[in-house]
């Protein structure tokens, strides 16, 4: 600026691509699309490279990994997904709860097949380089979405979590109180850590959750001999609580419904300049794509390439979502899932 | 109170039920087949456009703050997810550039749910709670009515509908808790309306096993019919009634 003549010289400002994508995400996306590329330099239908690791050595029954045994680990199953800069680590831990008696479960009126499935309680933590505070909205929404999606996918049958292999010691010789016996079941929790957040987070979290679930090994349970006394009629005081010990070597593989194993994929829809053609973008990544693609399609496809979930968000009024676009997206998803799962 | 509906469902709607907010609506949806089932009741209030906190302010458009309150207890992550889904739809329909640096608060209270049993037996999940499509459907319709009552500018009208494909492969919009749990697939469809007809698909969510052809041929057609029915038989009457009341002193 020159003070002398009172006029301002307006020069153009140049931003590097990554700064422009934050300052003006819509402009950045448009300029890339005009070149036939995306801000992450992938092609429109190109998926992100994905590395899956289910032998991460974090789990209790993984055996010796690098000479170190992890038999005291509470983790029952784990997996690590890496894609681009993003790393998602999922560890599944468990707890034991008392469940309703056999007699009441079987005579229940509501008894039917669909209620025989359950889910995992997931907690997602996205690392942002600061001390962990209360969970953010994004983390809560992701956790709840994971819970509901897994439940509706019918992957985890309730009966696989019921503990039926405990060595019991009873003080009742007649054994006639079998129906009143307390029963126990596992509940599973998943702790999902996300580092370098980027890309379609739900897809990666869901993928790591399903992959970890396939590796879950439930511990063999011992109730300490002297203390575990089945004592429902409370003859002897009734306050004796069993002490639960999980075996460090013996385990049972968790039985899951392998047929229903599925994979989630998210696509973004944008309109190019003349508004005639809708472009499908696979695996949205980066600030420009995440903020500007308001029309989204999320598809979950199972092993047999059947659709299990479809979510269409038409957030952008310039993008008209018709049958062709959805069918094209579903076909892209099916091809990708076929590569990943089969 | 305007009521009416399709062959399968009865809708009852009333606008301006709360007098200290800018817009409000009460909606109930019940089954025509089984009146003992109870109804889904939702009340929605809208305050805005009002001054927003500096933290929430965006320079060019208004901000939305949505809270959903469950019919029992306090809001949990389930309601957070509902709020998120509602926001996806409302961001598209509310003309947010009309109210820069302002805040629009939307509060939804679920009053009652059909066939709800407060089941506290150990180990029994209330599965109904994890099928939130029905609640989302009610929330969307009541928010639309409350938005009209509040006079907030919208880019388009919108309405939603919910249906299931049951184990006999029948498509129905009238279903109870058990039908939902045993259904093959459940669908929620939101359309924007132009001249009383469904125009563009704004939002859809489908859970369960289904194929694309059934979705496009049967599900969308059924929901379109239900939405257009709802619009002509209930919503229009409800809005006419509101305007009559608003201009009661004019004649």
């Amino acid at each position: 600026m020159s003070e002398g003549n009172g006029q301002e010289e307006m020069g153009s400002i140049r931003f590097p691509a990554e700064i422009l994508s934050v300052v003006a995400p819509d402009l950045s996306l448009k300029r890339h699309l005009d070149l036939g590329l995306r801000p992450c330099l992938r092609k429109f239908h190109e998926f992100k490279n994905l590395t899956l690791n289910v032998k991460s050595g974090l789990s209790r029954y993984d055996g010796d990994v690098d000479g170190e045994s992890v038999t005291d680990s509470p983790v029952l199953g784990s997996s690590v997904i890496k894609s681009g800069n993003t790393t998602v680590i999922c560890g599944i831990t468990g707890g034991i709860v008392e469940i309703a008696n056999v007699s009441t479960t079987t005579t229940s009126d509501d008894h039917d097949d669909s209620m025989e499935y359950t889910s995992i309680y997931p907690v997602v933590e996205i690392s942002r380089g600061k001390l962990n505070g209360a969970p953010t909205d994004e983390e809560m929404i992701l956790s709840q979405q994971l819970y509901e999606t897994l439940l509706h996918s019918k992957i985890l049958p309730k009966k696989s979590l019921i503990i039926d292999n405990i060595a019991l010691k009873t003080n009742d010789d007649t054994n006639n109180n079998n129906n009143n016996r307390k029963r126990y079941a596992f509940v599973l929790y998943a702790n999902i850590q996300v580092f370098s957040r980027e890309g379609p987070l739900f897809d990666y979290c869901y993928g790591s959750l399903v992959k970890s679930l396939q590796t879950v090994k439930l511990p063999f349970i011992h109730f300490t001999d002297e203390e575990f006394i089945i004592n429902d009629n409370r003859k002897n005081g009734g306050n004796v609580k069993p002490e639960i010990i999980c075996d460090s070597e013996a385990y049972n593989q968790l039985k899951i419904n392998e047929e229903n194993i599925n994979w989630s994929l998210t696509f973004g829809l944008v309109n190019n300049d003349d508004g005639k053609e809708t472009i499908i973008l696979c695996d949205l990544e980066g600030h420009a794509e995440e903020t500007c693609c308001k029309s989204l399609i999320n598809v979950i496809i199972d092993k047999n390439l059947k659709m299990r979930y479809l979510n269409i968000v038409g957030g952008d009024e310039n993008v008209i979502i018709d049958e062709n676009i959805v069918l094209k997206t579903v076909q892209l998803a099916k091809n990708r899932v076929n590569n990943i799962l089969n | 109170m305007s009521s009416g509906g399709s062959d399968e469902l009865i809708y009852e709607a009333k606008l301006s039920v709360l007098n200290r907010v800018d817009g409000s609506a009460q909606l109930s949806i019940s089954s025509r087949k089984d009146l003992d089932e109870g109804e889904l009741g939702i009340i929605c209030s809208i305050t805005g456009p009002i001054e927003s906190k500096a933290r929430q302010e965006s320079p060019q458009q208004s901000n939305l703050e949505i809270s959903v309150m469950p019919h029992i207890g306090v809001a949990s992550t389930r309601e957070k997810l509902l709020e998120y889904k509602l926001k996806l739809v409302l961001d598209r329909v509310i003309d947010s550039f009309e109210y820069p640096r302002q805040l629009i608060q939307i509060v939804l209270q679920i009053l009652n749910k059909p066939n709800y049993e407060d089941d506290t037996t150990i180990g029994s999940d209330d599965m109904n709670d994890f099928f939130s499509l029905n609640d989302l459907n009610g929330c969307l319709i009541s928010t639309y009515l409350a938005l009209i009552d509040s006079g907030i500018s919208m880019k388009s009208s919108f309405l939603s509908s919910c249906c299931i494909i049951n184990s006999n492969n029948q498509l129905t919009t009238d279903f109870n808790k058990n039908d939902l749990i045993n259904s093959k697939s459940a669908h929620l469809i939101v359309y924007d309306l132009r001249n009383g007809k469904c125009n563009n698909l704004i939002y859809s969510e489908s859970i369960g096993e289904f194929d694309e052809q059934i979705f496009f041929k049967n599900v969308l057609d059924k929901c379109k019919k239900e939405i257009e029915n709802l619009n002509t038989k209930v919503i229009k009457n409800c809005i006419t009634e509101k305007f009559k009341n608003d201009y009661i002193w004019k004649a």
Side-chain angles (χ1 to χ4, degrees):
Chain A
M1 203 199 305
S2 57
E3 293 284 324
N5 53 14
Q7 280 181 341
E8 288 181 19
E9 284 175 25
M10 299 293 283
S12 65
I13 312 171
R14 282 180 173 273
F15 292 114
E18 61 272 21
I19 292 180
L20 185 72
S21 77
V22 178
V23 178
D26 46 342
L27 192 67
S28 165
L29 183 66
K30 188 185 161 293
R31 285 188 182 172
H32 280 94
L33 293 182
D34 287 346
L35 292 173
L37 277 173
R38 297 162 57 178
C40 52
L41 303 182
R42 275 186 285 139
K43 286 184 181 160
F44 300 152
H45 292 180
E46 192 181 330
F47 288 94
K48 264 175 103 173
N49 193 20
L50 193 81
T51 321
L52 260 169
N53 186 0
V54 285
K55 291 240 180 256
S56 51
L58 298 169
S59 311
R60 189 182 176 94
Y61 302 110
D62 269 3
D64 283 3
V65 178
D66 300 334
E68 278 182 46
S69 175
V70 283
T71 49
D72 56 345
S73 163
V75 179
L76 305 175
S78 63
S79 73
V80 178
I81 282 188
K82 279 185 188 171
S83 177
N85 291 325
T86 314
T87 309
V88 178
I89 303 174
C90 174
I92 293 182
T93 55
I96 293 170
V97 288
E98 200 182 303
I99 52 167
N101 284 341
V102 190
S103 51
T104 55
T105 321
T106 46
T107 55
S108 165
D109 291 338
D110 286 340
H111 187 81
D112 59 64
D113 287 347
S114 326
M115 284 183 79
E116 293 299 308
Y117 292 94
T118 183
S119 188
I120 286 188
Y121 297 93
V123 176
V124 181
E125 279 177 50
I126 302 169
S127 299
R128 292 176 194 278
K130 59 180 181 186
L131 283 177
N132 286 342
T136 59
D137 276 6
E138 189 188 19
E139 289 167 336
M140 284 191 269
I141 290 162
L142 265 176
S143 306
Q144 181 70 19
Q145 254 177 330
L146 291 172
Y147 180 88
E148 289 187 10
T149 314
L150 195 74
L151 183 75
H152 297 312
S153 296
K154 298 182 180 173
I155 289 177
L156 183 59
K158 244 181 203 173
K159 66 173 182 231
S160 346
L161 293 175
I162 292 173
I163 304 171
D164 49 8
N165 57 359
I166 352 164
L168 296 172
K169 189 186 174 194
T170 166
N171 64 346
D172 191 347
D173 294 335
T174 52
N175 258 343
N176 59 359
N177 61 346
N178 252 357
N179 283 344
N180 296 327
R181 203 163 84 188
K182 279 181 185 170
R183 295 171 81 230
Y184 297 87
F186 285 102
V187 267
L188 298 181
Y189 308 101
N191 202 310
I192 301 170
Q193 300 270 352
V194 181
F195 299 100
S196 305
R197 183 207 180 285
E198 194 176 75
L201 222 48
F202 175 76
D203 298 353
Y204 295 153
C205 291
Y206 186 69
S208 71
L209 187 65
V210 170
K211 283 288 161 194
S212 328
L213 201 58
Q214 285 179 296
T215 69
V216 169
K217 296 181 176 88
L218 298 173
F220 196 85
I221 300 294
H222 302 277
F223 285 88
T224 43
D225 276 0
E226 291 305 313
E227 288 183 82
F228 184 62
I229 300 163
I230 294 162
N231 208 344
D232 270 328
N233 47 15
R234 316 218 160 177
K235 271 183 221 156
N236 306 329
N239 284 329
V240 187
K241 284 193 175 166
E243 194 184 319
I244 297 163
I245 295 173
C246 296
D247 201 294
S248 59
E249 280 169 10
Y251 63 82
N252 297 304
Q253 184 76 34
L254 174 71
K255 290 188 190 85
I256 55 171
N257 206 341
E258 288 283 342
E259 281 302 297
N260 288 348
I261 291 291
N262 49 22
W263 196 265
S264 158
L265 289 164
T266 308
F267 300 85
L269 303 176
V270 280
N271 235 328
N272 72 349
D273 212 11
D274 51 15
K276 280 178 191 159
E277 197 194 352
T278 304
I279 299 169
I280 303 170
L281 303 177
C282 301
D283 285 351
L284 293 185
E285 176 187 4
H287 190 261
E289 288 182 5
E290 280 184 11
T291 49
C292 296
C293 285
K294 287 184 176 153
S295 291
L296 302 166
I297 296 182
N298 179 224
V299 204
I300 296 184
I301 308 264
D302 71 8
K303 248 184 174 173
N304 305 323
L305 304 186
K306 279 191 179 153
M307 205 141 58
R308 305 303 297 234
Y309 179 83
L310 174 70
N311 185 12
I312 301 172
V313 182
D316 187 347
E317 62 243 56
N318 298 319
V319 177
I320 291 164
I321 298 170
D322 55 14
E323 193 174 338
N324 278 344
I325 288 288
V326 180
L327 291 181
K328 214 169 153 185
T329 314
V330 171
Q331 196 50 50
L332 277 170
K334 282 185 177 173
N335 293 345
R336 173 72 170 168
V337 171
N338 200 14
N339 284 340
I340 294 178
L341 292 182
N342 299 327
Chain B
M1 176 81 70
S2 302
S3 70
S6 59
D7 302 340
E8 292 177 334
L9 295 175
I10 307 170
Y11 297 86
E12 280 180 24
K14 198 180 179 192
L15 295 188
S16 315
V17 281
L18 306 170
N19 51 20
R20 298 184 76 102
V21 289
D22 296 312
S24 59
Q26 189 173 347
L27 175 83
S28 76
I29 306 174
S30 48
S31 155
R32 202 177 279 278
K33 192 174 65 188
D34 197 353
L35 290 168
D36 301 334
E37 282 278 319
E39 54 179 33
L40 172 72
I42 290 173
I43 192 164
C44 174
S45 92
I46 291 183
T47 314
I50 52 170
E51 188 184 352
S52 74
K53 289 177 204 153
R55 192 161 51 91
Q56 290 175 316
E57 196 177 277
S58 45
Q60 288 185 325
Q61 48 184 313
S62 63
N63 218 317
L64 271 183
E65 191 183 282
I66 305 170
S67 13
V68 178
M69 312 300 277
H71 75 308
I72 289 175
V74 290
S76 65
T77 45
R78 178 183 180 270
E79 281 69 35
K80 268 268 174 282
L81 185 58
L82 270 178
E83 289 163 15
Y84 168 72
K85 289 175 183 171
L86 273 167
K87 196 168 187 298
L88 289 177
V89 177
L90 296 176
D91 271 341
R92 149 106 188 228
V93 292
I94 292 178
D95 194 359
S96 55
F97 287 97
E98 191 76 21
Y99 312 106
R101 306 178 305 284
Q102 307 276 73
L103 174 73
I104 297 168
Q105 279 180 327
I106 300 176
V107 183
L108 289 136
Q109 169 74 54
I110 297 173
L111 299 171
N112 38 10
K113 283 170 90 164
N115 199 9
Y116 186 84
E117 293 152 28
D118 195 9
D119 198 351
T120 49
T121 327
I122 300 169
S124 70
D125 303 326
D126 187 1
M127 290 281 289
N128 193 20
D129 261 16
F130 300 110
F131 283 88
S132 52
L133 295 187
N134 233 349
D135 291 359
L136 187 58
N137 180 34
C139 287
L140 281 163
I141 301 173
S142 54
T143 310
Y144 170 64
L145 290 168
L147 276 169
I148 287 184
D149 189 39
S150 69
I152 286 173
S153 163
M154 282 192 280
K155 291 180 201 160
S156 61
S157 301
F158 68 98
L159 279 175
S160 65
S161 169
C162 212
C163 68
I164 61 163
I165 297 176
N166 63 19
S167 41
N168 305 329
N169 277 334
Q170 281 171 329
L171 195 63
T172 172
T173 50
D174 176 17
F175 50 87
N176 61 25
K177 178 180 158 184
N178 281 339
D179 296 339
L180 191 59
I181 293 168
N182 297 322
S183 65
K184 276 189 173 170
S185 61
H187 309 264
L188 169 87
I189 307 290
V190 187
Y191 265 104
D192 73 345
L193 295 160
R194 186 150 294 174
N195 300 327
K197 296 270 175 236
C198 291
N199 190 29
N200 285 329
L201 184 67
I202 298 185
Y203 183 86
S204 97
E205 192 177 355
S206 308
I207 51 178
E209 204 179 318
F210 58 98
D211 71 62
E212 305 88 288
Q213 304 305 330
I214 290 178
F215 178 76
F216 281 106
K217 279 192 184 140
N218 309 357
V219 173
L220 287 188
D221 284 353
K222 176 92 181 166
C223 289
K224 266 185 188 173
K225 218 169 137 190
E226 181 72 23
I227 287 173
E228 285 167 8
N229 237 323
L230 166 67
N231 186 45
T232 45
K233 294 189 178 159
V234 189
I235 307 290
K236 276 189 179 170
N237 292 344
C238 194
I239 297 170
T240 319
E241 206 174 295
K242 172 198 150 54
F243 279 97
K244 261 188 203 158
N245 288 336
D246 281 357
Y247 291 94
I248 200 160
W249 301 111
K250 205 169 179 204

